[in-house]
Amino acid sequence: MDPRLTQPEYQLVWPRALFAAEAAKLLNDRTTRDWDERCELLLELAFTAAYKGGPASVFREITEDVGGSFDDDPWANPAARSANIAKRPTLTAKQRFLRELLADVDNLREDGEHRRPCWRERQVGRTTRGAITRPAVVREFVRLVYELDDAGYLESRFGKDCVDDPRDDTAVMLFQRELGVDGVWPLDEQRLAEDIDLFFDVVELLHDHVSRPTTRNLHPYAGCGWHHGSFQGEPGRVVYRWRVNKILERSDLGLRIAEEGEDVGRLVTATDDARTQLVQAVTAREDSGPADQVRHALALFRERGADRNQKRSAVAAFALVLEERRHIVLAEALVDGDRGALFNIANNFHIRHQDAKQKRDYDDFYLDWIFWVYLSSIELTNRIIDATKPEARRT
C-alpha cells in the first residue's frame, strides 16, 4: 500500500463507493480529448482541499512517458511506425495514477475522525467528542453549502456568479417560491439557528438542486475563476447527502437525510447501523407490488414528526405484505405457532382492526418494536423468495 494514502491530504470528502464508481467510469472512457482535465476535477472534488498536496496536486505534476514519434511522422517507415505504436502503453502515466488510486480505494479514509487523541483526551481516556450544538450544526452546514457552491455543485441551478454576467435572483426566488419565506438566500446562520424548521426545509430543498460538475473552463478575467458544465444530478446528491449526514450524526438532533427509499433526500429519524443496513436491503429491491408498499410504509413511518396514526398505518401495511406470504413463504421459515405470533401482534394491538377487544393504551415504543420486527420479517421472506427462484436453484 502507498503510505501516502494514510496522510491527511488524501482524506476523501466523498463516499468511497462514489469515488470508485466515478474513477472507474473515467478509466473506461479514455477517448475524450479533455480526459486529463476531467480527472483533475474529479480528484479536486473527491479529496479534501484543507491541505496542500494530495492526489490532484500529484496528478498535475505527472509527466507523460516519452516515446518515439514514428506514428506522428507521415514519412516514417510503415513497419517501424506500427511497431512503435504497439509498444506504447495502453494507459498514459496520468491514467495509470488514477488506476493505482482506484486499486487502493479501500485504504482511503472517508471519515475524518481517524485522528490521534490530543493531550486532554489522553488524560481522561476519551477519544470521541460530544455532540455539537444546534448553532454549530447550522454553521457547519452553511459553510458546506458555500463550499459546494464554490466547487460548482449549485451552478447548474443557480448559474455562475461571473464578473461579466453576475448571478441573478434565481436562488432568492427559488426559496421564496418553494418555502414561502423571503430573504432565505444568502443563508444566514443566526436566522437558521433560531428557526430550526426553516433550517430543515433548506437542507431538504437544496438536496434537490445540487449536481456534480464534470467539466470546467477557466475565466481568468478579474479573477472570475472556473465555469463548470456537464452536470450529473445523482452523484451530486449522493455527495450532498453524505456530507450533510456527517454533520447531523455529530449532533443530538436524531435526524439524517434518507439515502434510499421513497423519501430519499428528506430528513428522517436516525437509526443504528444495523437497522440502516436492513432498510437499504429492503428498499434496494426492484420488483413492484410488495416492494412499493414497503417503501411507501417506510417513508410514512420515518417521516420527521410522524405521529402515532402514521406509524400504525405503516405497520398495518407491513402486516398486509406478510399476510400475503403467510402460508407460502413463511411456512418454509417459521413453524405455525411462530407465524401466528406475528399476526397476533397486529390483530390484538389496534393496528389492523377497529374493535373494542384490541389493546389501545400501549406506549408508542411498542409500535417501533413491531415495525422493525415486521420489516426484518419481510426481509427474511425476500431472501426465501430469492433462494427459491429457478436461477438460484441452478447455482
Side-chain angles (χ1 to χ4, degrees), residues 118-128:
C118 295
W119 170 262
R120 286 184 299 173
E121 293 173 327
R122 296 200 309 275
Q123 301 313 301
V124 299
R126 180 174 58 88
T127 58
T128 58

Side-chain angles (χ1 to χ4, degrees), residues 96-213:
R96 290 199 298 276
F97 174 78
L98 182 62
R99 184 185 64 180
E100 291 163 4
L101 201 58
L102 179 59
D104 275 331
V105 70
D106 289 338
N107 295 313
L108 294 170
R109 288 178 174 173
E110 64 174 7
D111 189 343
E113 296 304 308
H114 297 291
R115 62 180 181 83
R116 299 172 65 190
C118 295
W119 170 262
R120 286 184 299 173
E121 293 173 327
R122 296 200 309 275
Q123 301 313 301
V124 299
R126 180 174 58 88
T127 58
T128 58
R129 291 170 285 181
I132 59 177
T133 64
R134 181 180 300 181
V137 170
V138 174
R139 181 171 60 251
E140 291 200 18
F141 171 77
V142 171
R143 288 178 180 175
L144 171 62
V145 170
Y146 289 135
E147 175 192 329
L148 295 176
D149 192 17
D150 289 341
Y153 285 85
L154 293 174
E155 204 166 314
S156 174
R157 186 66 179 85
F158 296 162
K160 170 67 178 178
D161 194 13
C162 175
V163 293
D164 291 332
D165 184 17
R167 179 179 280 175
D168 59 21
D169 62 352
T170 298
V172 175
M173 297 305 297
L174 173 71
F175 285 99
Q176 185 182 63
R177 182 178 65 253
E178 298 295 330
L179 303 182
V181 181
D182 293 329
V184 176
W185 186 270
L187 301 179
D188 184 317
E189 292 180 15
Q190 183 174 348
R191 182 182 183 185
L192 294 178
E194 293 173 351
D195 188 344
I196 196 65
D197 288 320
L198 177 60
F199 169 66
F200 291 150
D201 281 340
V202 170
V203 170
E204 294 184 346
L205 183 59
L206 281 174
H207 167 271
D208 297 339
H209 297 282
V210 294
S211 298
R212 160 172 132 67

Side-chain angles (χ1 to χ4, degrees), residues 48-67:
T48 182
Y51 302 89
K52 292 183 178 180
S57 179
V58 174
F59 180 85
R60 284 189 288 268
E61 295 174 0
I62 294 174
T63 56
E64 294 302 329
D65 301 327
V66 179

